[in-house]
Amino acid sequence: MFFRSRRRQSSQEKSRAADHSDAGLPETTLHQTQQLQDWRRSAQRVTRAWNAWLAAESRDRAIRYSVFVAALADEERAAAEVERMVDLADVGQCVTTTDPRNGRLGAR
């Protein structure tokens, strides 16, 4: 039985793996996948900023709040991009997207 190393992949290794896994996908699918990943990452930043704001001491609360508001604005922008992509699909275009919950491709 083979086990994965617990060593984290470097960004170069991750990009190399992404290059191989994305090789057969159309450019529009890659763009849609990127939009969903951006939205997911921005939502995760909102969660981290929220938790940091709640845990901050009084002298750090103002800056943590501003970081939270900036993360929230970024998440709103990313959500609007995904919503626009979905609206285009509803107009009649067939869009293949990646499910953000499991990373698998699925036609919409």
Side-chain angles (χ1 to χ4, degrees), residues 32-64:
Q32 293 162 355
T33 300
Q34 182 64 40
Q35 283 182 318
L36 289 169
Q37 289 173 345
D38 287 347
W39 183 30
R40 184 162 190 253
R41 280 191 294 268
S42 64
Q44 290 169 340
R45 281 192 298 273
V46 168
T47 301
R48 286 192 298 271
W50 170 263
N51 290 335
W53 177 39
L54 291 178
E57 295 180 13
S58 60
R59 67 176 188 254
D60 293 332
R61 273 196 182 275
I63 194 152
R64 295 292 180 185

